Coordinates of all heavy atoms in Angstrom, one line a residue:
M428 N -119.9 -7.2 -8.2 CA -119.5 -8.0 -9.2 C -120.1 -7.6 -10.6 O -121.1 -7.0 -10.7 CB -119.9 -9.5 -9.0 CG -119.6 -10.5 -10.1 SD -119.8 -12.2 -9.9 CE -118.3 -12.5 -8.7
S429 N -119.3 -7.8 -11.7 CA -119.8 -7.3 -13.0 C -120.9 -8.1 -13.5 O -121.1 -9.3 -13.1 CB -118.6 -7.4 -14.0 OG -118.1 -8.6 -14.2
N430 N -121.6 -7.8 -14.6 CA -122.5 -8.4 -15.3 C -122.0 -9.5 -16.0 O -121.0 -9.4 -16.7 CB -123.4 -7.6 -16.1 CG -124.3 -6.5 -15.3 OD1 -124.5 -6.7 -14.3 ND2 -124.6 -5.5 -16.1
L431 N -122.4 -10.7 -15.8 CA -122.0 -11.9 -16.5 C -123.0 -12.3 -17.6 O -124.2 -12.3 -17.4 CB -121.8 -13.1 -15.5 CG -120.6 -12.9 -14.6 CD1 -120.5 -14.1 -13.6 CD2 -119.4 -12.7 -15.1
H432 N -122.4 -12.7 -18.8 CA -123.4 -12.9 -19.8 C -123.1 -14.3 -20.4 O -121.9 -14.8 -20.4 CB -123.2 -11.9 -21.0 CG -123.6 -10.5 -20.7 ND1 -125.0 -10.2 -20.8 CD2 -122.9 -9.5 -20.1 CE1 -125.0 -8.9 -20.3 NE2 -123.7 -8.5 -20.0
T433 N -124.1 -15.0 -21.0 CA -123.8 -16.3 -21.6 C -123.6 -15.9 -23.2 O -123.7 -14.7 -23.5 CB -125.2 -17.1 -21.6 OG1 -126.1 -16.5 -22.3 CG2 -125.5 -17.4 -20.1
D434 N -123.3 -16.9 -23.9 CA -123.0 -16.7 -25.3 C -124.4 -16.3 -26.0 O -124.4 -15.4 -27.0 CB -122.5 -17.9 -26.0 CG -123.2 -19.2 -25.9 OD1 -124.2 -19.3 -25.2 OD2 -122.7 -20.3 -26.3
V435 N -125.5 -16.6 -25.4 CA -126.7 -16.1 -26.0 C -127.1 -14.7 -25.8 O -127.5 -14.0 -26.5 CB -128.0 -17.1 -25.4 CG1 -129.3 -16.5 -25.8 CG2 -127.8 -18.6 -25.8
T436 N -126.6 -14.2 -24.6 CA -126.7 -12.8 -24.3 C -125.6 -11.9 -24.8 O -125.8 -10.7 -25.2 CB -127.0 -12.5 -22.8 OG1 -126.1 -13.0 -22.1 CG2 -128.3 -13.1 -22.3
A437 N -124.5 -12.3 -24.8 CA -123.2 -11.7 -25.3 C -123.2 -11.6 -26.8 O -122.8 -10.6 -27.2 CB -121.9 -12.4 -24.8
G438 N -123.7 -12.5 -27.5 CA -123.6 -12.6 -29.0 C -124.3 -11.3 -29.6 O -123.7 -10.6 -30.2
P439 N -125.7 -11.0 -29.3 CA -126.2 -9.9 -29.8 C -125.5 -8.6 -29.3 O -125.6 -7.6 -30.1 CB -127.6 -9.9 -29.1 CG -127.9 -11.4 -28.8 CD -126.5 -12.0 -28.5
M440 N -124.9 -8.5 -28.1 CA -124.2 -7.3 -27.7 C -123.0 -7.0 -28.8 O -122.7 -5.9 -29.0 CB -123.6 -7.5 -26.4 CG -124.8 -7.5 -25.3 SD -124.0 -7.8 -23.7 CE -122.9 -6.4 -23.4
L441 N -122.5 -8.0 -29.3 CA -121.3 -7.9 -30.2 C -121.8 -7.9 -31.7 O -121.0 -7.9 -32.5 CB -120.3 -9.1 -29.9 CG -119.7 -9.2 -28.5 CD1 -119.0 -10.4 -28.4 CD2 -118.9 -7.9 -28.2
G442 N -123.0 -8.3 -32.0 CA -123.4 -8.5 -33.3 C -123.1 -9.8 -33.9 O -122.9 -9.9 -35.1
L443 N -122.9 -10.8 -33.0 CA -122.5 -12.1 -33.4 C -123.5 -13.1 -32.9 O -124.1 -13.0 -31.9 CB -121.1 -12.5 -32.8 CG -119.8 -11.5 -33.2 CD1 -118.6 -11.9 -32.2 CD2 -119.6 -11.7 -34.7
S444 N -123.5 -14.3 -33.5 CA -124.4 -15.3 -33.2 C -123.8 -16.2 -32.0 O -122.5 -16.2 -31.9 CB -124.7 -16.3 -34.3 OG -123.7 -17.1 -34.6
P445 N -124.6 -16.7 -31.2 CA -124.0 -17.6 -30.1 C -123.1 -18.7 -30.7 O -122.0 -18.9 -30.1 CB -125.2 -18.1 -29.4 CG -126.3 -17.3 -29.7 CD -126.0 -16.6 -31.1
A446 N -123.4 -19.2 -31.8 CA -122.7 -20.2 -32.5 C -121.3 -19.7 -32.9 O -120.3 -20.3 -32.7 CB -123.2 -20.7 -33.7
T447 N -121.2 -18.4 -33.4 CA -119.9 -17.8 -33.8 C -119.1 -17.7 -32.5 O -117.9 -17.9 -32.5 CB -120.2 -16.5 -34.5 OG1 -120.9 -16.7 -35.7 CG2 -118.9 -15.8 -34.8
L448 N -119.6 -17.2 -31.4 CA -118.9 -17.1 -30.3 C -118.2 -18.3 -29.6 O -117.1 -18.4 -29.3 CB -119.7 -16.4 -29.1 CG -119.8 -14.9 -29.0 CD1 -120.7 -14.6 -27.8 CD2 -118.5 -14.3 -28.7
R449 N -119.1 -19.3 -29.8 CA -118.7 -20.7 -29.4 C -117.4 -21.2 -30.3 O -116.4 -21.7 -29.9 CB -119.7 -21.8 -29.4 CG -120.8 -21.6 -28.3 CD -121.7 -22.8 -28.3 NE -122.7 -22.8 -29.5 CZ -123.9 -22.2 -29.4 NH1 -124.2 -21.5 -28.5 NH2 -124.5 -22.3 -30.5
N450 N -117.6 -20.9 -31.6 CA -116.5 -21.3 -32.5 C -115.2 -20.5 -32.2 O -114.0 -20.9 -32.3 CB -116.9 -21.1 -34.0 CG -118.0 -22.2 -34.4 OD1 -118.0 -23.3 -33.8 ND2 -118.8 -21.8 -35.4
M451 N -115.3 -19.2 -32.0 CA -114.3 -18.3 -31.6 C -113.6 -18.8 -30.4 O -112.4 -18.7 -30.3 CB -114.7 -16.9 -31.5 CG -115.2 -16.2 -32.9 SD -115.9 -14.6 -32.6 CE -114.3 -13.7 -32.8
R452 N -114.3 -19.1 -29.4 CA -113.8 -19.6 -28.2 C -113.0 -20.9 -28.3 O -111.8 -20.9 -27.8 CB -115.0 -20.0 -27.2 CG -114.6 -20.2 -25.8 CD -115.8 -20.1 -24.8 NE -116.9 -21.0 -25.1 CZ -118.2 -20.9 -25.3 NH1 -118.6 -19.6 -25.5 NH2 -119.0 -21.9 -25.6
V453 N -113.5 -21.9 -29.2 CA -112.6 -23.0 -29.4 C -111.4 -22.7 -30.1 O -110.2 -23.3 -29.8 CB -113.5 -24.1 -30.4 CG1 -112.6 -25.1 -30.7 CG2 -114.7 -24.5 -29.5
K454 N -111.4 -21.7 -30.9 CA -110.1 -21.4 -31.8 C -109.2 -20.5 -30.9 O -108.1 -20.3 -31.3 CB -110.5 -20.6 -33.1 CG -111.2 -21.5 -34.1 CD -111.5 -20.5 -35.2 CE -112.4 -21.3 -36.3 NZ -112.9 -20.6 -37.3
G455 N -109.7 -19.8 -29.8 CA -109.0 -18.9 -29.0 C -109.0 -17.5 -29.6 O -108.0 -16.8 -29.1
D456 N -109.8 -17.2 -30.4 CA -109.7 -15.7 -30.9 C -110.9 -14.8 -30.7 O -111.3 -13.9 -31.3 CB -109.4 -15.8 -32.6 CG -110.6 -16.4 -33.3 OD1 -111.5 -17.0 -32.8 OD2 -110.5 -16.5 -34.5
G457 N -111.7 -15.5 -29.7 CA -112.9 -14.5 -29.2 C -112.5 -13.8 -28.0 O -111.5 -13.7 -27.6
P458 N -113.6 -13.2 -27.5 CA -113.4 -12.3 -26.1 C -113.1 -13.3 -25.0 O -113.4 -14.4 -25.0 CB -114.8 -11.7 -26.0 CG -115.6 -12.4 -26.8 CD -114.9 -13.2 -27.9
P459 N -112.3 -12.7 -24.0 CA -112.0 -13.5 -22.8 C -113.3 -14.1 -22.2 O -114.3 -13.3 -22.3 CB -111.3 -12.5 -21.9 CG -110.9 -11.4 -22.7 CD -111.8 -11.3 -23.9
F460 N -113.2 -15.1 -21.5 CA -114.4 -15.7 -20.9 C -114.0 -16.3 -19.4 O -112.8 -16.5 -19.3 CB -115.1 -16.7 -21.7 CG -114.2 -17.8 -22.2 CD1 -114.3 -19.0 -21.5 CD2 -113.4 -17.8 -23.3 CE1 -113.4 -20.1 -21.8 CE2 -112.7 -18.8 -23.8 CZ -112.7 -20.0 -23.0
V461 N -115.0 -16.6 -18.8 CA -114.8 -17.1 -17.4 C -115.5 -18.5 -17.4 O -116.6 -18.7 -17.9 CB -115.6 -16.3 -16.3 CG1 -115.4 -16.9 -15.0 CG2 -115.0 -14.9 -16.3
K462 N -114.7 -19.6 -17.0 CA -115.2 -20.9 -16.8 C -115.6 -21.2 -15.4 O -114.7 -21.0 -14.5 CB -114.2 -22.0 -17.2 CG -114.0 -22.0 -18.7 CD -115.0 -22.9 -19.3 CE -114.9 -24.4 -19.0 NZ -115.7 -25.3 -19.8
M463 N -116.8 -21.6 -15.1 CA -117.2 -21.9 -13.7 C -117.8 -23.3 -14.0 O -119.0 -23.5 -14.4 CB -118.3 -20.9 -13.3 CG -117.8 -19.6 -13.2 SD -118.9 -18.3 -12.6 CE -120.0 -18.2 -14.1
G464 N -116.9 -24.4 -13.6 CA -117.3 -25.7 -13.9 C -117.5 -25.8 -15.5 O -116.5 -25.5 -16.1
R465 N -118.7 -26.2 -15.9 CA -118.9 -26.4 -17.3 C -119.5 -25.1 -18.0 O -119.6 -25.0 -19.2 CB -119.8 -27.6 -17.7 CG -119.1 -29.0 -17.3 CD -120.1 -30.0 -17.5 NE -120.4 -30.1 -18.9 CZ -121.3 -31.0 -19.5 NH1 -121.9 -31.7 -18.7 NH2 -121.5 -31.0 -20.8
A466 N -119.9 -24.2 -17.1 CA -120.5 -22.9 -17.6 C -119.5 -22.0 -18.1 O -118.5 -21.8 -17.4 CB -121.3 -22.4 -16.4
V467 N -119.8 -21.3 -19.2 CA -118.9 -20.3 -19.8 C -119.7 -18.9 -19.6 O -120.9 -18.9 -19.9 CB -118.6 -20.5 -21.2 CG1 -117.9 -19.4 -21.8 CG2 -117.8 -21.9 -21.4
R468 N -119.1 -18.0 -19.1 CA -119.7 -16.6 -19.0 C -118.7 -15.5 -19.5 O -117.5 -15.7 -19.3 CB -120.1 -16.3 -17.5 CG -121.0 -17.2 -16.9 CD -122.5 -17.2 -17.7 NE -123.4 -18.0 -17.2 CZ -123.8 -19.3 -17.4 NH1 -123.1 -19.7 -18.5 NH2 -124.7 -20.0 -16.9
Y469 N -119.2 -14.5 -19.9 CA -118.5 -13.4 -20.4 C -118.8 -12.2 -19.5 O -119.9 -11.8 -19.2 CB -118.8 -12.9 -21.8 CG -118.6 -14.1 -22.9 CD1 -119.5 -14.9 -23.2 CD2 -117.4 -14.1 -23.5 CE1 -119.3 -16.0 -24.2 CE2 -117.0 -15.1 -24.4 CZ -118.0 -16.0 -24.8 OH -117.7 -17.0 -25.6
R470 N -117.6 -11.5 -19.1 CA -117.8 -10.3 -18.3 C -118.1 -9.1 -19.2 O -117.3 -9.0 -20.2 CB -116.6 -10.0 -17.4 CG -116.4 -11.1 -16.3 CD -115.2 -10.9 -15.4 NE -114.1 -10.4 -16.1 CZ -113.0 -10.1 -15.6 NH1 -112.9 -9.9 -14.3 NH2 -111.9 -9.7 -16.3
E471 N -119.0 -8.3 -18.9 CA -119.4 -7.1 -19.7 C -118.1 -6.3 -20.0 O -117.9 -5.8 -21.1 CB -120.5 -6.4 -19.1 CG -121.3 -5.5 -20.1 CD -122.5 -5.1 -19.5 OE1 -123.3 -5.9 -19.1 OE2 -122.7 -4.0 -19.6
E472 N -117.3 -6.1 -19.1 CA -116.1 -5.1 -19.3 C -115.1 -5.7 -20.2 O -114.5 -5.2 -21.0 CB -115.4 -4.7 -18.0 CG -114.9 -5.7 -17.1 CD -115.9 -6.4 -16.0 OE1 -117.1 -6.1 -16.3 OE2 -115.4 -6.9 -15.1
D473 N -115.0 -7.1 -20.2 CA -114.2 -7.8 -21.1 C -114.6 -7.9 -22.6 O -113.8 -7.6 -23.5 CB -114.0 -9.3 -20.8 CG -113.2 -9.6 -19.5 OD1 -112.3 -8.7 -19.1 OD2 -113.4 -10.6 -18.8
L474 N -116.0 -7.8 -22.7 CA -116.7 -7.7 -24.0 C -116.3 -6.2 -24.6 O -115.9 -6.2 -25.7 CB -118.1 -7.9 -24.0 CG -118.6 -9.3 -23.6 CD1 -120.1 -9.3 -23.4 CD2 -118.0 -10.2 -24.6
R475 N -116.4 -5.3 -23.8 CA -116.2 -3.8 -24.1 C -114.7 -3.6 -24.6 O -114.4 -3.0 -25.6 CB -116.5 -2.9 -23.1 CG -118.0 -2.6 -23.0 CD -118.2 -1.3 -22.2 NE -117.8 -1.5 -20.8 CZ -118.5 -2.0 -19.8 NH1 -119.9 -2.3 -20.0 NH2 -118.1 -2.1 -18.6
D476 N -113.8 -4.2 -23.7 CA -112.4 -4.1 -24.0 C -112.0 -4.9 -25.3 O -111.2 -4.3 -26.1 CB -111.6 -4.7 -22.8 CG -111.6 -3.8 -21.6 OD1 -112.2 -2.6 -21.6 OD2 -111.2 -4.3 -20.4
W477 N -112.7 -6.0 -25.5 CA -112.3 -6.7 -26.7 C -112.7 -5.9 -28.0 O -112.0 -6.1 -29.0 CB -113.0 -8.1 -26.6 CG -112.7 -9.1 -27.6 CD1 -111.5 -9.9 -27.8 CD2 -113.5 -9.4 -28.7 NE1 -111.7 -10.5 -28.9 CE2 -112.8 -10.4 -29.6 CE3 -114.8 -9.1 -29.2 CZ2 -113.3 -10.9 -30.7 CZ3 -115.3 -9.5 -30.3 CH2 -114.5 -10.6 -31.1
V478 N -113.8 -5.4 -27.9 CA -114.3 -4.7 -29.0 C -113.5 -3.5 -29.3 O -112.9 -3.2 -30.3 CB -115.8 -4.2 -28.8 CG1 -116.1 -3.2 -29.9 CG2 -116.7 -5.4 -29.0
A479 N -113.1 -2.7 -28.1 CA -112.2 -1.5 -28.3 C -110.9 -1.8 -28.9 O -110.2 -1.1 -29.6 CB -112.0 -0.9 -26.9
A480 N -110.4 -3.0 -28.5 CA -109.0 -3.4 -29.1 C -109.1 -3.8 -30.6 O -107.9 -3.8 -31.2 CB -108.5 -4.7 -28.3
R481 N -110.3 -3.8 -31.2 CA -110.3 -4.1 -32.6 C -110.7 -3.0 -33.4 O -111.0 -3.1 -34.6 CB -111.4 -5.3 -32.7 CG -110.7 -6.6 -32.4 CD -111.6 -7.6 -31.9 NE -110.8 -8.8 -31.6 CZ -109.9 -8.8 -30.7 NH1 -109.8 -7.9 -29.8 NH2 -109.2 -9.9 -30.4
V482 N -110.6 -1.8 -32.9 CA -110.9 -0.6 -33.6 C -109.7 -0.2 -34.7 O -108.6 -0.2 -34.1 CB -111.1 0.7 -32.7 CG1 -111.3 2.0 -33.7 CG2 -112.5 0.4 -31.9
V483 N -110.0 -0.1 -35.9 CA -109.0 0.1 -36.9 C -109.3 1.3 -37.7 O -110.4 1.7 -37.8 CB -108.7 -1.1 -37.8 CG1 -108.1 -2.3 -37.0 CG2 -109.9 -1.5 -38.4
G484 N -108.3 1.9 -38.4 CA -108.6 3.1 -39.2 C -108.8 2.8 -40.7 O -109.3 3.6 -41.4
S485 N -108.4 1.6 -41.2 CA -108.6 1.2 -42.6 C -108.6 -0.3 -42.6 O -108.2 -1.0 -41.8 CB -107.3 1.8 -43.3 OG -106.2 1.0 -43.1
T486 N -109.0 -0.8 -43.8 CA -109.1 -2.3 -44.0 C -107.8 -2.8 -44.1 O -107.7 -4.1 -44.1 CB -109.9 -2.5 -45.3 OG1 -109.4 -1.9 -46.4 CG2 -111.5 -2.1 -45.1
S487 N -106.7 -2.1 -44.3 CA -105.4 -2.7 -44.5 C -104.7 -2.9 -43.2 O -103.8 -3.6 -43.1 CB -104.5 -1.7 -45.4 OG -104.3 -0.6 -44.7
Q488 N -105.3 -2.4 -42.1 CA -104.7 -2.6 -40.6 C -105.1 -4.1 -40.3 O -106.2 -4.5 -40.5 CB -105.3 -1.6 -39.7 CG -104.6 -0.4 -39.9 CD -105.3 0.8 -38.8 OE1 -106.2 1.3 -39.0 NE2 -104.5 1.0 -37.8
R489 N -104.1 -4.5 -39.6 CA -104.4 -5.9 -39.0 C -105.2 -5.8 -37.6 O -104.9 -4.8 -36.9 CB -103.0 -6.7 -38.6 CG -102.4 -7.1 -40.0 CD -101.2 -7.9 -39.6 NE -101.6 -9.1 -38.7 CZ -101.6 -10.3 -39.0 NH1 -101.2 -10.7 -40.3 NH2 -101.9 -11.3 -38.2
V490 N -106.2 -6.7 -37.4 CA -106.9 -6.7 -36.1 C -106.2 -7.6 -35.3 O -105.9 -8.8 -35.7 CB -108.5 -7.1 -36.5 CG1 -109.1 -7.3 -35.2 CG2 -109.1 -6.2 -37.5
P491 N -106.0 -7.3 -34.0 CA -105.3 -8.2 -33.1 C -106.1 -9.5 -32.9 O -107.4 -9.5 -33.1 CB -105.3 -7.5 -31.7 CG -105.9 -6.2 -31.9 CD -106.4 -6.1 -33.4
A492 N -105.4 -10.6 -32.7 CA -106.1 -12.0 -32.5 C -106.8 -12.0 -31.2 O -106.6 -11.2 -30.3 CB -105.2 -13.1 -32.7

């Protein structure tokens, strides 16, 4: 099984605060996450894929939601 991260451990990996990750999760524009009851976890490979999908070549390019 892959490594699972909380918003506290995933945030620093992404350069984001845990609060920012929580807000992004509510808006639906953050990385994919896993719900286990009330617990929210992020799979490491999903975090890597989410970052990779946001690589752009210029500031005029749109970043996927």
